[in-house]
Amino acid sequence: MRMKSILRYFFLFIICLTTSIFTKVSAQNNTGSSWLKKFEYQKAFIENRGQFSIPNSFGNPSEVLYAVDHGG
């Protein structure tokens, strides 16, 4: 009975060790997915509902329906 108990703990230890090793190796290989991300502006067209003020000095007399907001 004692030998079966030792074998069970040994196999449990081996399974935990193997899982731990593969988890660490997998985490090191995923360099593209990091918890740290840089702030980037949204890369999409935004419907102009009055939030964009476009002066007439840009030479575009027509109404602006969509725009892209990239900061400055």
Side-chain angles (χ1 to χ4, degrees), residues 3 6-7 17-18 29 43-45 48-50 53 55 61 71:
M3 187 65 171
I6 292 172
L7 283 175
L17 182 67
T18 306
N29 289 338
K43 297 176 182 175
F45 287 102
N48 187 10
R49 295 184 180 174
S53 60

Side-chain angles (χ1 to χ4, degrees), residues 58-70:
F58 283 117
N60 185 9
S62 62
E63 182 182 0
V64 176
L65 302 176
Y66 291 90
V68 178
D69 184 10
H70 281 284

Side-chain angles (χ1 to χ4, degrees), residues 12-13 33 38 48 53 56 60:
L12 182 62
F13 173 75
S33 62
K38 293 181 180 179
N48 187 10
S53 60
N56 288 336
N60 185 9

Side-chain angles (χ1 to χ4, degrees), residues 27-40:
Q28 290 175 355
N29 289 338
N30 290 336
T31 57
S33 62
S34 170
W35 285 97
L36 301 174
K37 293 290 183 183
K38 293 181 180 179
F39 175 76
E40 296 179 0

Side-chain angles (χ1 to χ4, degrees), residues 11-27:
F11 285 124
L12 182 62
F13 173 75
I14 295 296
I15 290 171
C16 290
L17 182 67
T18 306
T19 304
S20 174
I21 290 172
F22 281 123
T23 302
K24 288 180 183 178
V25 169
S26 175

